[in-house]
């Protein structure tokens, strides 16, 4: 069995749709019922990853072995469904871009988000070093750069104030997390390096209450209508869609179970590494509007029986 940590870094706004409307939102994003944190459920993500493999030209046999057979395939009415060797977990939030009074935007994360990411790294390799996740005060937070705190004044987003310590703390645990997420989740390729550099200075760890506000206030809402193709008049709508903003970071754990064939196992690992490490994938809805493009980065973990 081989474990991977898959990072998804939003290249365009991302809409993984929930089951029904929520208040004034006709098409909200998927959220956890307990925390309110945005999420892409594993079943939605697995379908998107399978589509990526098909679009990349994978042979049908490889698709079926890794992702499982479909309940019914065209021309093969009696195909028995199977689960496949790849287990896809929920893609949970790592850091959310938020508008700020300085430097245009920063990334907000929390004790909950970092704690979950730490658990994912532990699942990847139980012997790996663990970065600490200390207690963050409910209305407080931490910053890496003194630019975020000046003369005791509170800086924050243009939507929701964020309370930071009176003096920026360059704690090793914050720096360690910023370095690891920037390297593993964003990358150092020329097109991405400026954002990795920014992440290392503009990661803010905020308290539970502030994070909850940001998760509601800093998603994007788009009002749309559907036109009749003949008359060009409004046929449906207006309706409001919710999106995770560009630069959002999510992460999930993939588990690839061993088969009965060593050669097949090596081929499966090769296919996953080639497809999901550094590629741009399509996740969620509104594909024809250019939404749901994400950079994927795959962190390999340990193997076992």
């Amino acid at each position: 069995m081989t474990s991977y940590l898959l990072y998804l870094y939003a290249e365009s706004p991302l809409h993984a749709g929930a089951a029904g409307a929520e208040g004034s939102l006709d098409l909200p994003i998927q959220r956890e019922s307990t925390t309110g944190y945005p999420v892409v459920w594993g079943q939605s993500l697995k379908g998107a990853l399978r589509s990526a493999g098909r679009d990349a030209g994978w042979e049908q046999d490889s698709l079926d072995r890794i992702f499982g057979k479909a309940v019914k395939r065209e021309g093969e009415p009696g195909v028995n469904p199977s689960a496949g060797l790849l287990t896809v977990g929920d893609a949970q939030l790592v850091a959310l871009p938020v508008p700020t009074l300085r430097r245009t935007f920063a990334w907000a994360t929390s004790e909950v988000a970092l704690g979950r990411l730490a658990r994912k790294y532990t699942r990847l390799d139980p012997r790996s070093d663990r970065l600490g996740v200390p207690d963050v005060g409910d209305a407080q937070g931490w910053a890496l750069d003194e630019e975020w705190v000046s003369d005791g004044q509170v800086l924050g987003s243009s939507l929701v104030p964020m309370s930071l310590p009176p003096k920026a703390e360059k704690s090793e645990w914050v720096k360690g997390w910023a370095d690891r997420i920037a390297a593993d989740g964003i990358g150092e390729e020329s097109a991405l390096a400026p954002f990795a550099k920014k992440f290392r200075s503009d990661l803010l760890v905020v308290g539970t209450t502030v994070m909850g506000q940001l998760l509601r206030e800093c998603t994007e809402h788009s009002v749309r209508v559907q036109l009749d193709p003949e008359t060009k008049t409004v046929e449906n709508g207006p309706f409001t869609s919710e999106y995770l903003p560009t630069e959002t970071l999510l992460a999930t754990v993939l588990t690839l179970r061993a088969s009965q064939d060593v050669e097949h196992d090596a081929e499966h690992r090769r296919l996953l590494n080639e497809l999901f490490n550094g590629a741009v994938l399509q996740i969620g809805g509104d594909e024809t509007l250019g939404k749901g493009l994400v950079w994927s980065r795959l962190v390999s973990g340990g193997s076992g029986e």
Side-chain angles (χ1 to χ4, degrees):
M1 183 173 67
T2 304
S3 297
Y4 302 91
L5 180 60
L6 177 65
Y7 277 98
L8 302 173
Y9 180 42
E11 169 72 8
S12 64
L14 171 62
H15 175 82
E22 180 182 315
S24 61
L25 278 172
D26 301 295
L27 300 170
I29 59 174
Q30 295 169 359
R31 290 179 182 269
E32 299 169 347
S33 59
T34 51
T35 65
Y37 276 51
V39 66
V40 179
W41 299 123
Q43 60 267 32
S44 301
L45 183 57
K46 187 173 185 178
L49 298 184
R50 182 189 180 96
S51 295
R54 183 180 61 247
D55 294 342
W58 284 17
E59 295 182 0
Q60 189 65 51
D61 187 49
S62 296
L63 282 171
D64 289 344
R65 287 199 305 268
I66 293 175
F67 292 104
K69 290 183 178 180
V71 175
K72 183 178 179 181
R73 189 187 306 151
E74 185 179 353
E76 297 184 20
V79 171
N80 294 323
S82 61
L85 298 172
L86 185 68
T87 300
V88 180
D90 298 336
Q92 296 176 318
L93 183 73
V94 174
L96 180 77
V98 295
T100 54
L101 300 177
R102 296 185 181 181
R103 295 183 177 175
T104 308
F105 77 96
W107 282 273
T109 190
S110 67
E111 181 182 353
V112 170
L114 291 181
R116 288 174 164 181
L117 186 59
R119 297 204 307 250
K120 288 180 174 63
Y121 274 104
T122 301
R123 287 179 60 189
L124 208 65
D125 184 358
R127 298 164 298 180
S128 66
D129 59 322
R130 302 180 184 181
L131 293 172
V133 184
D135 180 45
V136 180
D138 183 57
Q140 294 297 308
W142 301 87
L144 273 170
D145 196 318
E146 292 183 4
E147 177 76 14
W148 292 107
V149 180
S150 176
D151 300 326
Q153 297 177 357
V154 176
L155 298 180
S157 78
S158 58
L159 299 176
V160 180
M162 291 187 292
S163 179
L164 296 175
K167 184 177 181 181
E169 295 284 343
K170 292 191 177 182
S171 303
E172 284 303 312
W173 68 269
V174 179
K175 183 178 184 301
W177 273 120
D179 287 341
R180 174 169 286 190
I181 296 170
D184 289 353
I186 300 177
E188 305 297 342
E189 294 86 349
S190 60
L192 298 170
F195 296 91
K197 180 181 178 181
K198 179 176 174 62
F199 191 91
R200 289 185 172 96
S201 63
D202 295 344
L203 176 65
L204 306 178
V205 184
V206 302
T208 303
T209 299
V210 172
M211 191 65 181
Q213 291 177 291
L214 293 174
L215 292 175
R216 289 292 175 182
E217 298 292 337
C218 295
T219 57
E220 297 181 4
H221 294 179
S222 175
V223 180
R224 296 168 47 207
V225 296
Q226 185 177 32
L227 300 180
D228 184 284
E230 299 295 331
T231 64
K232 303 301 180 182
T233 57
V234 175
E235 183 175 356
N236 292 307
F239 52 91
T240 306
S241 299
E242 184 181 22
Y243 298 90
L244 281 174
T246 303
E247 318 304 337
T248 298
L249 268 165
L250 305 160
T252 185
V253 172
L254 307 180
T255 304
L256 181 65
R257 297 191 301 277
S259 68
Q260 303 300 316
D261 189 318
V262 175
E263 290 186 4
H264 277 162
D265 290 341
E267 176 67 6
H268 297 162
R269 290 192 295 270
R270 183 189 68 80
L271 288 172
L272 290 177
N273 276 284
E274 287 183 356
L275 181 61
F276 300 139
N277 194 19
V280 177
L281 307 178
Q282 173 68 46
I283 307 293
D286 294 338
E287 178 178 359
T288 58
L289 300 177
K291 310 297 187 183
L293 297 176
V294 297
W295 291 91
S296 61
R297 292 190 64 85
L298 203 61
V299 182
S300 298
S303 298
E305 296 299 327

